[in-house]
């Protein structure tokens, strides 16, 4: 089944995802600052091991956010270079479906990380 989609609709969705990725970047920055405070304290060794564990997870989350943001920018460029309407077979151009799936996974993994982090912060403070 063919569907016609306006590039502006696709661009709006991509811009929304870019905003979400930027929000995740900011949250990761705040989480790292909180970990830094614990790392500077004289916490027990097992707490410091957990701090290191979360530092690594947050570092990886930031890397994934940066990669995702870059790919979203590239996807937006491809869409803006297209004609006024885009005809597709249930799959918008520029691997939009792939980006949508990646964003779902990105969101799910960040929610899990945030829950784990908040549980750690509550249990250690």
């Amino acid at each position: 089944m063919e569907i016609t989609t306006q590039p502006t609709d696709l661009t709006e969705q991509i811009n929304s995802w870019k905003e979400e990725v930027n929000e995740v970047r900011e949250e990761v920055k705040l989480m790292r600052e909180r970990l830094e405070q614990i790392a500077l304290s004289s916490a027990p060794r097992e707490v410091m091991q957990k701090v290191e564990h979360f530092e690594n997870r947050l570092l990886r989350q930031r890397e994934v956010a940066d990669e995702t943001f870059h790919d979203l920018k590239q996807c937006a460029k491809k869409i803006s270079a297209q004609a006024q309407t885009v005809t597709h077979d249930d799959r918008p151009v520029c691997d939009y479906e792939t980006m949508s799936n990646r964003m779902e996974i990105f969101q799910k993994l960040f929610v899990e990380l945030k829950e784990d982090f908040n549980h750690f912060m509550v249990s250690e403070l």
Side-chain angles (χ1 to χ4, degrees), residues 35-69:
L35 282 178
E36 195 173 301
Q37 292 171 351
I38 295 172
L40 293 174
S41 71
S42 56
R45 181 175 173 203
E46 60 269 0
V47 172
M48 296 307 257
Q49 289 173 335
K50 290 179 183 178
V51 166
E52 183 177 356
H53 169 77
F54 278 106
E55 285 177 337
N56 291 335
R57 285 183 69 186
L58 292 171
L59 178 63
R60 182 62 188 136
Q61 182 67 44
R62 175 61 195 237
E63 290 171 351
V64 170
D66 290 345
E67 292 166 5
T68 302
F69 191 85

Side-chain angles (χ1 to χ4, degrees), residues 4-120:
T4 302
T5 305
Q6 296 294 324
T8 54
D9 295 339
L10 300 176
T11 301
E12 285 177 26
Q13 179 61 61
I14 290 169
N15 286 337
S16 171
W17 287 336
K18 286 168 54 178
E19 288 175 23
E20 186 173 345
V21 170
N22 277 331
E23 289 172 9
V24 166
R25 287 172 162 170
E26 285 301 313
E27 285 192 63
V28 165
K29 180 180 175 184
L30 293 173
M31 287 186 232
R32 290 185 76 191
E33 289 171 1
R34 291 173 68 190
L35 282 178
E36 195 173 301
Q37 292 171 351
I38 295 172
L40 293 174
S41 71
S42 56
R45 181 175 173 203
E46 60 269 0
V47 172
M48 296 307 257
Q49 289 173 335
K50 290 179 183 178
V51 166
E52 183 177 356
H53 169 77
F54 278 106
E55 285 177 337
N56 291 335
R57 285 183 69 186
L58 292 171
L59 178 63
R60 182 62 188 136
Q61 182 67 44
R62 175 61 195 237
E63 290 171 351
V64 170
D66 290 345
E67 292 166 5
T68 302
F69 191 85
H70 176 267
D71 293 345
L72 287 167
K73 283 178 26 180
Q74 295 304 312
C75 190
K77 283 181 186 179
K78 285 182 182 180
I79 288 172
S80 67
Q82 297 294 322
Q84 288 303 98
T85 59
V86 180
T87 303
H88 54 87
D89 183 19
D90 286 334
R91 294 178 359 166
V93 296
C94 84
D95 295 325
Y96 182 86
E97 182 179 336
T98 300
M99 288 307 304
S100 179
N101 291 336
R102 282 182 59 192
M103 282 304 298
E104 285 181 37
I105 293 167
F106 178 80
Q107 293 160 338
K108 178 183 177 279
L109 291 175
F110 182 68
V111 167
E112 290 174 5
L113 171 61
K114 191 173 176 179
E115 288 172 355
D116 290 349
F117 180 81
N118 288 335
H119 177 72
F120 165 71

